[in-house]
Amino acid sequence: MVSPDHPRLHTTSPMAKPSVPRNKSSFCLSDSLLFIGGAFFALLLVWSLWSFLTPTTDPSPNLGPLGDSQSKSASGADWLNCGEDSVETTFYDEPELSYSIGKPLENWDEKRKEWLKQHPSFAAGARDRVLLVSGSQPSPCKNPIGDHLLLRFFKNKVDYCRIHGCDVFYNNALLHPKMGSYWAKLPVVRAAMVAHPEAEWIWWVDSDALFTDMEFKLPLERYKDHNLVVHGWAHLIYDDKSWTGLNAGVFLIRNCQWSMDLMEVWASMGPQTSEYKKWGQILRSTFKDKLFPESDDQTGLIYLLYKEKEKWGEKVYLEGEYYFEGYWHEIIGTMDNITGRYREMEREEDTLRRRHAEVESEQYGAYRARCYLKEAGNGRGSWRRPFITHFTGCQPCSGDHNQMYAGGSCWDGMRRALNFADNQVLRKFGFMHRDRLDSSLSPLPFDYPAAD
């Protein structure tokens, strides 16, 4: 008979040794230790699960030196730690460096070459790198719709550059206080050359000019032996001596010493010099069809080509084969016919109406040009989209348009051209302007225009 004061520990095996009787105090101590051990184990388990589910964060910000991945510049070179001086120097470290017209820059080709050598990631592809530059006046427009129009013109340039990989700089400040109006572009272009040594070309496009063929890409290979590209005609410059022999509202200029030198000579006819009035007289006496007495940038450039053809003319490409910049008044009336021809082309060719990403636009544009536009021609009389439409004489900001145009024709023409270009962009987003005088949009059906 087992006494209740001496309980027996039952085992599951008959071969187990019989338990050794214990007194009451040792039994209580053993139970206490078991309880404490179990509680500790449970606490450890809960803590482990909590740590796993809640990642540890460092409450203090990392204010130490940049890590390896952060200490690399865009060029791939080691960037500076705090307090360190740059090991390599560039032309930017020269105290005499100037971004301004009137302070000639020498050895620019060598300086650019050395800078590109120090920044190898920018050197790759530099030969075709383009910076588009445009701008407008510092103050608000007098024309009530002027600021809206300029915003849309700017959006158009941004759209084109996004599609074709150009960088954009838009300026609305006078970089030289005495060079306003049409002369204001020269200080901007000069400063852009210095600020962007990675760009081979600086492409000035007036604020009132817009891209109306968003697929067309500059044929840079054509200009490989030239330093300046303008829309112009040799016979008007050298034979007729006309101040309309070229248009200086759009030009492509190479970022090189030749261009730096040209800019200085060209700008010497501007309003910042004491010879400004004299140059107005010289230009008007040389070009009999010039209507106003002031010296202007366009006539000044034509004068340099006419008088110093050997020095400047050989490196200037007068582009007349396509609308490098086209006169809006002869273009606007052709846009409905052009739209119809392109729509018919796309109804017949499913590849052209196939939906695709905007980033593929260049490839589809090249396919269209190669397979369907060889017979379309270029320029006046062509049913190909005009590359750039320039609203010369309309003055969208001031509203002081040339009196040979009605104001309504300028503003309506701009809306038509802007929506014509915008449709080419919005199509990649599934929308279009049905009416080119209306800003409202309509969603495009699948397989447009075959299903339209």
Side-chain angles (χ1 to χ4, degrees):
M1 189 172 179
V2 179
S3 168
D5 291 336
H6 301 280
R8 188 179 297 239
L9 296 178
H10 297 278
T11 64
T12 57
S13 172
M15 298 298 294
K17 292 182 181 180
S19 60
V20 178
R22 296 180 296 174
N23 60 32
K24 188 174 183 179
S25 60
S26 66
F27 178 80
C28 292
L29 178 60
S30 176
D31 284 354
S32 298
L33 289 173
L34 286 172
F35 176 80
I36 294 172
F40 177 79
F41 178 80
L43 181 62
L44 184 63
L45 180 62
V46 171
W47 178 82
S48 299
L49 289 172
W50 180 259
S51 299
F52 177 78
L53 295 174
T54 310
T56 303
T57 57
D58 184 359
S60 61
N62 181 11
L63 299 178
L66 293 173
D68 289 341
S69 61
Q70 295 173 296
S71 63
K72 301 288 185 182
S73 70
S75 64
D78 288 336
W79 194 231
L80 301 177
N81 289 321
C82 297
E84 289 184 355
D85 291 328
S86 175
V87 177
E88 297 176 336
T89 60
T90 70
F91 63 86
Y92 289 114
D93 298 300
E94 299 171 5
E96 64 274 13
L97 173 71
S98 175
Y99 294 81
S100 301
I101 288 284
K103 297 181 180 180
L105 185 59
E106 298 179 351
N107 302 317
W108 179 237
D109 293 338
E110 292 76 11
K111 290 173 179 178
R112 270 196 73 218
K113 183 178 180 180
E114 183 61 26
W115 188 92
L116 288 168
K117 183 179 178 181
Q118 294 177 2
H119 300 78
S121 68
F122 293 115
R127 190 173 67 92
D128 295 330
R129 188 171 291 121
V130 176
L131 172 68
L132 187 146
V133 180
S134 188
S136 56
Q137 76 298 319
S139 55
C141 292
K142 290 193 301 181
N143 183 0
I145 61 173
D147 288 310
H148 172 70
L149 289 172
L150 289 186
L151 177 62
R152 291 202 64 189
F153 274 96
F154 176 55
K155 175 195 176 295
N156 169 266
K157 295 174 176 68
V158 172
D159 284 340
Y160 181 86
C161 287
R162 184 181 64 254
I163 291 169
H164 294 281
C166 306
D167 290 325
V168 185
F169 172 60
Y170 192 91
N171 178 66
N172 64 344
L174 290 178
L175 299 193
H176 194 298
K178 293 184 178 180
M179 297 183 76
S181 187
Y182 27 72
W183 286 104
K185 69 187 73 167
L186 297 192
V188 182
V189 172
R190 165 67 157 74
M193 289 180 174
V194 180
H196 285 271
E198 82 286 358
E200 180 70 11
W201 295 97
I202 306 297
W203 190 6
W204 173 267
V205 182
D206 272 359
S207 61
D208 59 354
L210 72 146
F211 295 94
T212 40
D213 187 349
M214 305 303 282
E215 292 179 343
F216 189 87
K217 189 173 182 179
L218 278 172
L220 293 178
E221 184 64 23
R222 179 186 299 188
Y223 312 133
K224 63 182 180 180
D225 297 324
H226 297 82
N227 295 331
L228 177 66
V229 183
V230 289
H231 195 210
W233 304 267
H235 71 279
L236 290 180
I237 296 173
Y238 299 110
D239 299 333
D240 298 350
K241 292 195 294 184
S242 171
W243 83 288
T244 61
L246 60 79
N247 188 292
V250 178
F251 61 84
L252 185 69
I253 190 166
R254 193 182 297 276
N255 195 355
C256 66
Q257 185 66 52
W258 183 94
S259 302
M260 289 285 186
D261 296 340
L262 174 67
M263 298 281 285
E264 290 296 329
V265 177
W266 189 4
S268 67
M269 306 177 193
Q272 82 285 4
T273 71
S274 58
E275 304 291 308
Y276 179 57
K277 186 175 181 180
K278 172 187 164 185
W279 274 113
Q281 297 168 349
I282 293 172
L283 296 179
R284 197 169 190 188
S285 65
T286 305
F287 304 99
K288 303 300 183 181
D289 62 343
K290 181 173 164 59
L291 302 177
F292 51 95
E294 295 85 12
S295 171
D296 67 285
D297 65 318
Q298 180 168 299
T299 316
L301 180 57
I302 296 173
Y303 181 87
L304 290 177
L305 299 184
Y306 177 72
K307 288 292 187 179
E308 302 181 31
K309 183 178 180 180
E310 295 75 17
K311 184 175 183 179
W312 306 113
E314 298 304 317
K315 287 293 184 180
V316 177
Y317 195 105
L318 296 172
E319 181 60 86
E321 187 174 327
Y322 65 94
Y323 277 124
F324 184 76
E325 120 355 283
Y327 179 42
W328 69 275
H329 207 260
E330 71 184 36
I331 289 175
I332 292 300
T334 69
M335 285 185 167
D336 286 339
N337 178 58
I338 292 172
T339 299
R341 295 294 293 266
Y342 274 66
R343 186 182 292 123
E344 195 61 36
M345 183 195 314
E346 291 168 4
R347 282 182 177 141
E348 296 174 1
E349 171 56 81
D350 56 357
T351 299
L352 293 176
R353 64 178 183 267
R354 182 187 178 194
R355 290 175 177 174
H356 57 270
E358 187 182 58
V359 74
E360 299 177 284
S361 296
E362 275 194 355
Q363 291 92 317
Y364 277 83
Y367 174 82
R368 187 198 301 272
R370 184 173 65 252
C371 302
Y372 293 93
L373 295 178
K374 288 182 178 179
E375 306 302 322
N378 285 288
R380 177 177 262 177
S382 167
W383 56 267
R384 182 172 185 155
R385 291 168 180 157
F387 182 37
I388 294 180
T389 302
H390 192 185
F391 283 83
T392 53
C394 277
Q395 303 295 330
C397 188
S398 68
D400 300 328
H401 56 84
N402 190 313
Q403 293 305 305
M404 67 183 291
Y405 317 125
S409 68
C410 278
W411 318 144
D412 285 350
M414 289 179 183
R415 280 193 286 266
R416 287 179 184 275
L418 286 163
N419 285 347
F420 177 85
D422 212 24
N423 275 346
Q424 298 169 48
V425 177
L426 289 172
R427 183 168 177 175
K428 312 300 186 299
F429 295 81
F431 293 88
M432 71 174 295
H433 301 280
R434 292 284 184 179
D435 183 344
R436 287 192 293 111
L437 279 175
D438 189 347
S439 60
S440 61
L441 297 175
S442 298
L444 284 177
F446 179 75
D447 208 29
Y448 174 87
D452 190 38

